[in-house]
Amino acid sequence: MAEIITVNVLARENDNAPIDTIALAGELLAPGLAITPALLDGALSGGWTVTHLPSGKAVSAGAGACLACLRFAAKALVEADVDWTRDGDAIKDDPAASRAGHEFGSAAYECGGVDCEASHYLPAAA
């Protein structure tokens, strides 16, 4: 069974506004990473994202992916030889993290979002 945790997520981050955080329920994906609802303009978008726990930052920007596509794409992050528990600056400079983030983002980008019909990512019914 998945471990549900509280995740402090950055609600917005730009040069002209203070950084706000929102506590959301998330599903622990790997040490340092959790699946959380995606935020867009400070509100729930209806999609999902992966959040880096030490920083509260979404691994990819945008409205998020459907849960099936996100789980599929997140395999790139989980399987990478990266210590995701490090702070964001250390990870930003890690070539393996950069490759995994690119693979994750590319796969998540293919999703149709809340209208996605990604049934091919779901396990077959028994």
Side-chain angles (χ1 to χ4, degrees):
M1 184 153 150
E3 182 179 353
I4 304 302
I5 60 173
T6 299
V7 180
N8 291 318
V9 176
L10 294 183
R12 59 190 161 139
E13 180 182 351
N14 63 52
D15 293 337
N16 301 320
I19 298 172
D20 295 327
T21 59
I22 296 176
L24 297 174
E27 179 182 311
L28 189 63
L29 184 62
L33 298 173
I35 295 172
T36 61
L39 299 174
L40 186 63
D41 297 328
L44 296 172
S45 71
W48 298 88
T49 193
V50 172
T51 298
H52 176 245
L53 296 176
S55 69
K57 293 181 180 180
V59 174
S60 66
C66 76
L67 192 53
C69 288
L70 186 84
R71 288 185 190 283
F72 177 80
K75 290 178 185 179
L77 301 172
V78 173
E79 294 172 358
D81 186 22
V82 175
D83 177 3
W84 297 108
T85 63
R86 295 177 295 162
D87 78 18
D89 288 335
I91 289 175
K92 180 177 65 173
D93 296 330
D94 183 333
S98 180
R99 281 191 301 278
H102 178 74
E103 289 176 32
F104 166 76
S106 294
Y109 180 78
E110 296 298 320
C111 178
V114 294
D115 298 321
C116 185
E117 297 179 13
S119 59
H120 54 279
Y121 292 140
L122 300 175

